[in-house]
Each structure stands twice: as structure tokens, then as C-alpha cells.
């Protein structure tokens, strides 16, 4: 039987460079002879993903709890396929996972423990790479986009919520300008 692949999760605020680093990592893994694939959450192509996409683009409105559960469902529906890939030896590099789910919803004011519950039982990552960047620095990278959560005040809160979720499977990668300074977010 093939050796199980690794589940590598990459997290961070918007503009922290997750997508680029995920692509680089997949390319590096492949070049060194590993089977590796990129996975992204939310997966906007599925039924739940389309509802999430419409919500993020502010084309539809949903209760905060309901959208939280949709993000979780969007992960659950992918678990069987992902698990099969891991078992057949493919390493998965995942751009956002349940930690984004908890960080964003709790930043909006939902109870952190309530937010964790729907994701209990998902595949556990082998490592979580947290790309840390101050929100000031993130904004300098061409500003945030037009989607619902791409706003400075919310991003500051999200970064603080992410900090609460770190455990020993996390490796925090300090991006340029990410050291915390007084009076600076
Ligand atoms: N997001 C992402 C959540 O609020 N909950 C989740 O569970 C996930 C996976 O969706 F603002 C938010 C984070 C971000 C938005 O993500 C879309 P991308 O990576 O920017 O497409
Ligand atoms: Mg985004």
C-alpha cells in the first residue's frame, strides 16, 4: 500500500500570500517526486460553494450561523475524496480550512466554541502553516478586494481570532512586516 500523503493546511488573513505560497509548495513537492495536489476552501464549484460565493459577493444575505454551517458543509462534502487521495499517497496542500471558518465567524461575533463544533471529525491536518502579516502590511499589497469580508476592521479581528486557535501543529511563518508593534495592526 502507498505511504499516506500529508495534509498540509495553509491559513492566514486575506493578502497574506496563501494562494501563491500554496502553488509554490505544490510545485516544489511535485518537482521533488511527490504526488501533490492543491485544494481550496471554500470550493465555490459545488452547490454549497455556489451559495457561499453568492454570499461573499454580497449578492445574497444569510444569517451568520447559517453561512458558518454552509462553510463547514462545504468541507464535509469533500472529506471522502480527500481521504482517498491521502490514503493513495497524495499530499494535499489546502488553502484555508476549518480554522478560517472559526476565525471569520468568531470575528463577526459568534461564540468560538459554537463555531468549532460543526467541523469536529474532519480530517486532522499534519501541519498548519500560518502566514502572518500585519493588516497594515496586507493593505499595502494593493488593498483588499470587494468581497464581504475584505475590510480592514474585520481582518484585524480575524487575525486576533487566528491567534487563539494556534496549537503545536501550527507553524507561524512571519511574512514581511508581521512583527507586532504598539499602535499598529
Ligand atoms: N471563509 C473561508 C470563511 O468565512 N469561513 C470558512 O470556513 C472559509 C474556508 O471566505 F474571506 C472566508 C474567508 C474569506 C472568504 O475565501 C473566501 P478566499 O480564500 O478569499 O476565497
Ligand atoms: Mg479572499
Amino acid at each position: 500500500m502507498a505511504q499516506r500523503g500529508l495534509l498540509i493546511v495553509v491559513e492566514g488573513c486575506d493578502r497574506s500570500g496563501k494562494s501563491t505560497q500554496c502553488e509554490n509548495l505544490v510545485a516544489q513537492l511535485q518537482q521533488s517526486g511527490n504526488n501533490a495536489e492543491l485544494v481550496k476552501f471554500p470550493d465555490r464549484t459545488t452547490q454549497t460553494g455556489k451559495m457561499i460565493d453568492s454570499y461573499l459577493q454580497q449578492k445574497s444575505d444569510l444569517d451568520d450561523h447559517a453561512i458558518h454551517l454552509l462553510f463547514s458543509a462545504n468541507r464535509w462534502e469533500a472529506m471522502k475524496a480527500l481521504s482517498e487521495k491521502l490514503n493513495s499517497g497524495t499530499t494535499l496542500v489546502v488553502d484555508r480550512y476549518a480554522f478560517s471558518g472559526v476565525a471569520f465567524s468568531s470575528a463577526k461575533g459568534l461564540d468560538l466554541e459554537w463555531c468549532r463544533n460543526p467541523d469536529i471529525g474532519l480530517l486532522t491536518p499534519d501541519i498548519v502553516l500560518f502566514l502572518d502579516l500585519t493588516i497594515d502590511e496586507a493593505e499595502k499589497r494593493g488593498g483588499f478586494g470587494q468581497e464581504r469580508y475584505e475590510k480592514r476592521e474585520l481582518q484585524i479581528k480575524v487575525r486576533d481570532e487566528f491567534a487563539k486557535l494556534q496549537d503545536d501543529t501550527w507553524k507561524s511563518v512571519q511574512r514581511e512586516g508581521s512583527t507586532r508593534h504598539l499602535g499598529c495592526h
Side-chain angles (χ1 to χ4, degrees):
M1 228 172 101
Q3 194 184 3
R4 186 183 170 278
L6 291 176
L7 182 60
I8 303 173
V9 166
V10 180
E11 286 281 10
C13 290
D14 280 292
R15 296 264 161 194
S16 58
K18 285 184 306 306
S19 303
T20 311
Q21 296 307 327
C22 284
E23 281 167 24
N24 289 346
L25 185 52
V26 171
Q28 290 281 340
L29 286 162
Q30 288 172 344
Q31 275 161 29
S32 49
N34 299 281
N35 286 325
E37 274 182 36
L38 179 63
V39 177
K40 174 159 178 48
F41 289 114
D43 173 357
R44 301 191 192 213
T45 65
T46 68
Q47 296 279 359
T48 60
K50 284 176 188 151
M51 290 171 76
I52 292 169
D53 183 54
S54 155
Y55 173 83
L56 289 172
Q57 290 193 45
Q58 318 204 56
K59 291 178 182 160
S60 63
D61 244 326
L62 281 170
D63 172 78
D64 289 340
H65 303 82
I67 182 67
H68 182 79
L69 296 174
L70 272 180
F71 274 114
S72 180
N74 186 250
R75 284 182 282 280
W76 274 110
E77 65 192 6
M79 282 307 110
K80 188 161 177 281
L82 297 190
S83 161
E84 283 168 8
K85 284 187 178 171
L86 289 171
N87 289 334
S88 69
T90 301
T91 284
L92 300 174
V93 176
V94 185
D95 184 345
R96 292 195 193 278
Y97 199 53
F99 311 100
S100 274
V102 176
F104 278 80
S105 292
S106 59
K108 286 159 74 182
L110 297 191
D111 178 70
L112 190 114
E113 286 312 314
W114 185 90
C115 291
R116 282 183 197 267
N117 273 311
D119 289 312
I120 292 174
L122 289 180
L123 289 165
T124 307
D126 294 289
I127 185 166
V128 180
L129 301 174
F130 181 67
L131 304 192
D132 199 13
L133 185 75
T134 63
I135 304 304
D136 286 338
E137 209 50 53
E139 254 190 327
K140 282 189 209 152
R141 296 181 167 196
F144 299 116
Q146 299 300 315
E147 289 203 330
R148 193 181 281 268
Y149 296 156
E150 296 179 322
K151 298 189 181 79
R152 178 185 169 82
E153 287 315 310
L154 182 68
Q155 295 287 327
I156 290 170
K157 286 187 192 157
V158 169
R159 185 165 178 243
D160 290 340
E161 294 303 315
F162 269 128
K164 296 180 191 166
L165 304 177
Q166 312 211 1
D167 65 20
D168 16 311
T169 59
W170 286 56
K171 169 100 185 82
S172 186
V173 184
Q174 302 297 308
R175 308 285 286 153
E176 191 189 351
S178 64
T179 343
R180 285 180 184 258
H181 294 282
L182 285 177
C184 191
H185 291 288

